[in-house]
Amino acid sequence: EKRLFARLVGMLKLCFGFHRFKFHLSGLLFAFSFLATGQNVELEKRLAEEGRKILEHSEYAERKKANLAFAKMLSEYIATEEGYNSELKPVTNMMRLFYKDEWRMFTWQMPDSNYQYQRFGVFVAETKRGIVVTELEDKASTDPQAIFRVLKPNNWYGAIYYKSIPVKKGRNQIFTLLGYAPGEKINQKIIDVLEVDGRGRPKFGARIFKIDEFMDKTLRKAPMRLILSYGAKYSASVRWNEDEKMIIMDHLSPPELRLKGIYHLYGPDMSYDALYWEKDWWHLSTEVKFNSRQNIKIVPPDKPTDLPKK
């Protein structure tokens, strides 16, 4: 504090010296801005350091300690105008979603004592009353009926979100979220729904999926979210295709029909499904064809390239 005060006095003298030490508001604001910027840089550096500890420290007690410090610092920082508007580029252990100036969401994960991932999140919104920060608690991931429930922040289905797709349900603005939740035997891709109320509080899940069957299960009522489960040794894609205006998904299946429902054996079968938005609902289309943008034009060389050198 003494150092900051001394720096402030020095800046004030520098700014006011040319005005015979008369009070000059712009100089005062400049000095405070200079100091605040330095503090923000230092805070983001500390966030980045704690974030790496969460993932990389060999001892669980230290990972847990780092996670508590990280969550506290992040929540306090993004509750300020500077933090809310910062992209937090130095912080590499988390994913972030931004929607205009209205809200931000940060999600990350930590290996527990058995090196199983626990997921954490913070949601922050700009409201008429100011910035509102809400912690997300991963407590619904083990609920077998979670796909049919609307979930509050203290009972969140934890995921690392990497995409937000805004859609309109009637007059309401809602957001379809694409997320990832890795596990020891089963990985999951989660297609969830975010709604934000007038107080800046989030809730997850909504009746916007008009689907009768998914992942070899018959759905007797409309789900609030979709969950794709597959073996941890496989990689599966769920992504938004801007050209087609669809969510394109690897179709997941077991190696044999008799193994249906044993999801740790599921993997991509080289076909694709898609969700398309129509009349306020997501609809499922199977065996879709789309431009993957991976077609490479083959141009034959003008002359052979494999001749021996002279």
Side-chain angles (χ1 to χ4, degrees):
E1 291 180 357
K2 290 182 179 179
R3 288 181 181 178
L4 287 175
F5 180 78
R7 288 170 63 189
L8 177 58
V9 170
M11 290 298 300
L12 290 176
K13 286 183 178 179
L14 177 63
C15 294
F16 301 155
F18 300 102
H19 299 277
R20 299 179 182 179
F21 296 96
K22 290 183 178 180
F23 185 80
H24 195 278
L25 181 58
S26 63
L28 182 61
L29 292 176
F30 172 78
F32 276 114
S33 174
F34 178 85
L35 294 177
T37 299
Q39 289 177 312
N40 293 342
V41 169
E42 183 63 28
L43 194 150
E44 292 187 15
K45 181 181 176 182
R46 288 177 57 204
L47 274 171
E49 291 171 353
E50 296 296 332
R52 297 318 306 173
K53 286 182 188 177
I54 292 170
L55 291 176
E56 297 170 356
H57 204 286
S58 59
E59 297 181 15
Y60 171 61
E62 291 299 317
R63 294 196 299 274
K64 185 176 181 180
K65 180 180 176 182
N67 188 62
L68 290 171
F70 179 86
K72 184 175 186 295
M73 279 193 294
L74 178 64
S75 295
E76 291 176 352
Y77 184 44
I78 60 178
T80 68
E81 286 293 338
E82 294 83 2
Y84 186 83
N85 292 314
S86 174
E87 294 184 11
L88 294 167
K89 288 183 178 180
V91 186
T92 59
N93 69 303
M94 66 181 183
M95 295 292 287
R96 66 271 280 158
L97 295 179
F98 288 17
Y99 181 69
K100 299 181 180 179
D101 291 330
E102 296 182 16
W103 59 261
R104 286 91 170 84
M105 183 155 49
F106 306 92
T107 50
W108 68 95
Q109 56 190 8
M110 177 190 71
D112 65 14
S113 56
N114 297 314
Y115 281 87
Q116 302 300 304
Y117 282 114
Q118 295 176 299
R119 278 163 278 279
F120 303 86
V122 174
F123 182 87
V124 55
E126 182 85 78
T127 73
K128 294 179 180 179
R129 296 184 178 181
I131 297 172
V132 177
V133 178
T134 304
E135 180 184 353
L136 307 180
E137 300 179 57
D138 182 9
K139 293 183 178 179
S141 300
T142 57
D143 182 356
Q145 296 299 309
I147 65 169
F148 299 114
R149 303 190 196 281
V150 174
L151 302 175
K152 295 181 179 180
N154 62 355
N155 190 35
W156 169 57
Y157 199 103
I160 308 301
Y161 296 126
Y162 55 89
K163 183 66 177 177
S164 168
I165 306 159
V167 294
K168 280 287 187 75
K169 177 75 170 178
R171 295 182 178 181
N172 296 328
Q173 178 73 74
I174 59 178
F175 305 88
T176 303
L177 305 175
L178 305 184
Y180 176 49
E184 183 181 18
K185 293 183 178 180
I186 292 178
N187 290 338
Q188 293 182 329
K189 289 290 177 74
I190 296 107
I191 304 173
D192 213 332
V193 185
L194 167 69
E195 291 189 73
V196 186
D197 67 21
R199 298 179 299 162
R201 303 291 184 182
K203 66 177 180 179
F204 299 89
R207 195 170 278 108
I208 61 171
F209 300 97
K210 189 166 279 190
I211 297 172
D212 298 323
E213 186 174 332
F214 193 74
M215 289 294 297
D216 293 330
K217 287 184 178 179
T218 300
L219 303 176
R220 303 192 183 281
K221 56 184 177 179
M224 302 294 177
R225 62 187 51 77
L226 299 176
I227 299 173
L228 295 85
S229 301
Y230 55 97
K233 64 180 180 180
Y234 299 114
S235 177
S237 174
V238 176
R239 58 191 176 87
W240 173 248
N241 187 301
E242 184 64 31
D243 293 338
E244 305 290 343
K245 301 297 182 186
M246 294 191 298
I247 300 172
I248 306 290
M249 307 172 285
D250 274 316
H251 182 78
L252 303 171
S253 61
E256 300 177 35
L257 288 176
R258 64 185 180 85
L259 300 175
K260 278 188 176 183
I262 306 177
Y263 291 113
H264 71 271
L265 299 177
Y266 276 52
D269 62 7
M270 305 304 290
S271 66
Y272 299 93
D273 300 330
L275 294 173
Y276 62 94
W277 185 257
E278 184 177 272
K279 296 181 180 179
D280 289 354
W281 294 89
W282 285 113
H283 300 265
L284 181 65
S285 180
T286 59
E287 298 290 334
V288 299
K289 306 294 182 184
F290 67 100
N291 182 6
S292 66
R293 294 186 177 275
Q294 294 181 344
N295 297 325
I296 301 173
K297 186 178 181 180
I298 299 175
V299 180
D302 294 332
K303 48 186 168 182
T305 59
D306 57 350
L307 294 178
K309 295 181 180 180
K310 292 182 181 181

